Every structure is written in C-alpha cells, then in structure tokens.
Amino acid sequence: MERRTLALLTSGGDAPGMNAAIRAAALLGLSRDLEVLGVRQGYVGLMAGDFVPLTRADVTGIVRDGGTVLGSARCPEFHTPDGRAEARRRMAEAGITDLVVIGGNGSLTGARALTAPEELGDQVLRIAGIPASIDNDVGLSGLSIGVDTAMNTIVDACDKIADTASAHGRTFIVEVMGRDCGYLAMSAGVAAGADLVLFPEAGRDDEQVVEVVVKTIESARRRALPPKRVLILKAEGVRISPEQLKTRVEDRLHADGHRGALVETRIAVLGHIVRGGRPSAFDRVLAGRLGFAAVRALLAGETRVMAAWAHASAPPPGARLSEGDPHCWIVTLDAVLAETARLLDGTSPLVRWRNRVFAEIESVLNPDA
Ligand code: F6P
C-alpha cells in the first residue's frame, strides 16, 4: 500500500481561523494513519524543506488562536519554475504525497502551478486548497476563512468610533483592508450602520468619490433625526488616500458654506488590526469543515481542487458535494482561479449583483444624496 504523508501549509496574509483549519486537517489525516507534517513559513519553507511533524498534541489546543502556528510568508521566488522545482524536490525527499494549501488567491495560484502536469511529470503529489483570506476574493467560495472575524473586528471598531463621532457630531472615514475586493467594507458597513461604503467595484474615480462623500454628509446633516455622526467606510481598494479624501471633502464643505463640526472630518485606518485576534466561533467551524472536506478529497484521490463553502441550494458551477457536509463543495483550482479573475476585473455576475444591491442600499440610506 502507498505510504502517504500529508503536509499542511499556510501562505500569504494570515487569516483568523487558519489554525482551526490546520487542526482539522491534521486530526483527520492522523486518524487515517497518514504521517502529517507542517510546513513552516508557507512556500518559503516548502522550498527550504522546513518541515515539522505534527501530532495530535501539537494541534489540539490551537483552535482558538489567531494568526497561524506554522507561520506564513509571501514568496516571489515560488512563482518561478526553478523555485517550484526546488519545492517539489524537497517534498519528494521528505516523502510528501499530499499537500493542503491554506491561503488566498496568490497561494492557490501557487498550488495550481506546483502541480501543473507539465512540471510535475511522474511525481506523486496531490494538492487541495482551503480558501483563507480576510479579503473574501477567492472565487466559487461564498466565504473564506477569516472574513467573519475581520468583519466583527471592523464592526466593533466602528461602534467605538461612532461613540466619539456622535459626541462631537463629526464625520469619520474608516479605511479597512480587503486589497482589490470591497466585500469586507460592504458587509461590515451594513452591519455597522455606515452612511456610505466606498468600494472599488463601484468604479468611481477620485472626483466621484469626493462628490458622493460630500453629498452623503450634506444629506445626513439635513436630516432632523440622528445619526449625529456620519460614518463612511472606505475599502483600501478605493485608491484615493484617506488623507487626500479628508482634505478634499473638507475643502468642498467649506466652499459650500458649512462651518465647524459640519466640516470636521477624522480618519481611522484599521490596517492589520483587522487581520488579528481570536477567530470567531463561525470561523472556527468554517475552518474545521473546510479542513475536513479538503483532506477527504485528497483521501479519495482527488487533486488540484479546493474545498469551497456554499449553500446547498446554490452550488458553485461544476462543483461536487463533499461527502457528509451539505455546505462544503469540491471545485477545481482551474475553475476557482478563473472565477477569482472575474471577481477582480468586475465581470463576475456576483460582482454585478453586489453593485446593484449597494446602489439600492445607497439610495435608501441617502435618498437625496
Ligand atoms: O490579503 C490580505 C491582506 O491583508 C490585504 O487585505 C492587504 O491589502 C494585504 O494583505 C496586506 O499585506 P501585508 O500584510 O503584506 O502588508
């Protein structure tokens, strides 16, 4: 019988819940008599042969920890054929037959390249991905690990900011991570009761961004009822810097004859805070279920796939239901990365739908903006 060794790797920007995925994947592998190894520092460790055995004791208690116990890295060398050849050589040396890659868009692109048939030759190496990125920009998975925790962190921060903003009757522009994807800002904005969400998919240029912010502030101030504060959530993918936006908005408000608190705008850039902290209960469960689904797929002999999260009634196109879990689907990495590209260039029907929903939300929040 083939002796199988399963390696687990976390890569790219860490996301809360990665440890829960490591734990689930390791425990399932160990329970099926696989040798389980952790790869330190993502693809950097894969190229250096930096492998460490994982036992039940190593992973049992990590479910509640943020970050990743294996470490992570961004690794440009891995995107070269030579870098990947070195990684495959190290893996063959260590007897690794199966690899789980836990990460976002770039990490899954690396996973697909690592096992490209023309590079792999006759080496036995099965690979399965697990979407983990606070950006939620991985195609075909309704959610990635880390998004729920990040959203909760943003909402908590906005609630706090809203207290001081209300006390002074100020406007706050809060910038959140998400790279080129506006999902995090959009969903957190709804949950935080923001007056406006600026997200890249809306396609506004700088001037249009300034314009919609000014109109939103004027519209919110005209209303007799609270909010006494104006909260604007800006995705980092909207390229105008928060400082520039603040200056240009204040100048415009001045020019329109507003004075004092009506003009005063403050900014808060949440940055990496959004990526840290203990994973939410939901992220732990999501990570556990996706971790199981990915290893189950490998055990069944599948490769170049990803475990995806979707409601049973709306499976991703071409997906196969993961045995035993009505919300976990197995999709090919090719299909995932094709849809990811569409999400990012705006041609995915999902992006169009989000834009329509947000146009409607804006028109309800600021009817006269
Ligand atoms: O991809 C996750 C992410 O946190 C993005 O939201 C952000 O743009 C980027 O990583 C930040 O990267 P780094 O931690 O390398 O500065």
Side-chain angles (χ1 to χ4, degrees):
M1 229 176 70
E2 181 196 5
R3 176 85 194 116
R4 288 176 73 166
T5 297
L6 169 69
L8 310 176
L9 167 158
T10 50
S11 157
D14 56 289
M18 278 183 160
N19 285 325
I22 294 169
R23 173 179 179 265
L27 290 178
L28 181 56
L30 291 166
S31 77
R32 300 296 165 86
D33 289 330
L34 269 56
E35 189 185 344
V36 180
L37 301 176
V39 182
R40 286 200 185 107
Q41 302 301 132
Y43 289 124
V44 170
L46 202 64
M47 286 168 52
D50 193 356
F51 309 131
V52 48
L54 291 179
T55 64
R56 296 187 71 84
D58 293 322
V59 297
T60 306
I62 63 176
V63 69
R64 63 204 194 100
D65 297 333
T68 158
V69 291
L70 293 176
S72 189
R74 302 195 191 278
C75 181
E77 296 84 2
F78 189 76
H79 294 289
T80 65
D82 284 352
R84 292 191 293 271
E86 181 57 13
R88 280 188 297 267
R89 193 183 69 71
R90 297 286 196 168
M91 293 172 80
E93 228 171 55
I96 295 168
T97 52
D98 298 83
L99 177 67
V100 169
V101 173
I102 305 165
N105 191 355
S107 312
L108 297 168
T109 304
R112 180 175 62 169
L114 184 70
T115 48
E118 62 279 14
E119 286 193 15
L120 191 57
D122 55 8
Q123 183 172 343
V124 175
L125 177 58
R126 287 166 289 261
I127 202 159
I130 298 179
S133 164
I134 62 163
D135 302 342
N136 212 28
D137 60 353
V138 176
L140 302 185
S141 190
L143 277 175
S144 295
I145 295 167
V147 175
D148 184 65
T149 308
M151 218 160 74
N152 278 293
T153 303
I154 295 170
V155 171
D156 184 49
C158 285
D159 285 352
K160 288 178 172 136
I161 286 168
D163 289 343
T164 172
S166 300
H168 292 265
R170 281 172 175 159
T171 296
F172 262 83
I173 298 168
V174 179
E175 186 182 86
V176 298
M177 279 190 170
R179 208 180 283 276
D180 297 318
C181 181
Y183 181 88
L184 205 51
M186 288 173 171
S187 45
V190 172
D195 298 273
L196 176 70
V197 179
L198 299 168
F199 53 98
E201 293 87 341
R204 291 183 171 116
D205 63 24
D206 289 3
E207 191 47 45
Q208 290 167 326
V209 169
V210 173
E211 191 62 30
V212 71
V213 171
V214 169
K215 284 198 165 151
T216 299
I217 294 171
E218 289 180 333
S219 152
R221 299 301 185 195
R222 263 197 304 274
R223 271 180 256 137
L225 294 170
K228 288 183 240 140
R229 53 85 178 136
V230 180
L231 178 64
I232 294 164
L233 219 58
K234 174 188 170 300
E236 68 173 342
V238 172
R239 292 297 168 210
I240 185 169
S241 73
E243 293 79 10
Q244 238 189 55
L245 182 57
K246 166 188 156 67
T247 307
R248 286 176 63 173
V249 165
E250 286 185 344
D251 288 351
R252 273 286 310 279
L253 288 168
H254 257 299
D256 290 354
H258 301 294
R259 296 289 174 267
L262 291 186
V263 177
E264 270 188 27
T265 304
R266 295 287 187 271
I267 52 182
V269 177
L270 299 187
H272 289 79
I273 288 173
V274 167
R275 228 161 68 183
R278 288 196 187 285
S280 65
F282 178 78
D283 264 329
R284 300 180 199 194
V285 172
L286 175 69
R289 288 168 75 171
L290 290 177
F292 264 46
V295 174
R296 267 198 231 111
L298 291 174
L299 288 168
E302 299 201 52
T303 184
R304 309 192 87 211
V305 292
M306 185 189 84
W309 182 259
H311 194 270
S313 63
R320 181 184 71 66
L321 192 60
S322 169
E323 176 205 335
D325 194 322
H327 285 83
C328 288
W329 298 83
I330 301 302
V331 286
T332 65
L333 281 176
D334 283 342
V336 168
L337 295 170
E339 174 61 4
T340 300
R342 286 190 289 270
L343 282 178
L344 296 177
D345 71 16
T347 55
S348 162
L350 182 61
V351 172
R352 296 210 182 105
W353 176 81
R354 282 179 190 162
N355 284 352
R356 276 201 306 278
V357 169
F358 258 78
E360 194 184 342
I361 291 175
E362 266 178 30
S363 71
V364 172
L365 283 176
N366 303 303
D368 46 348

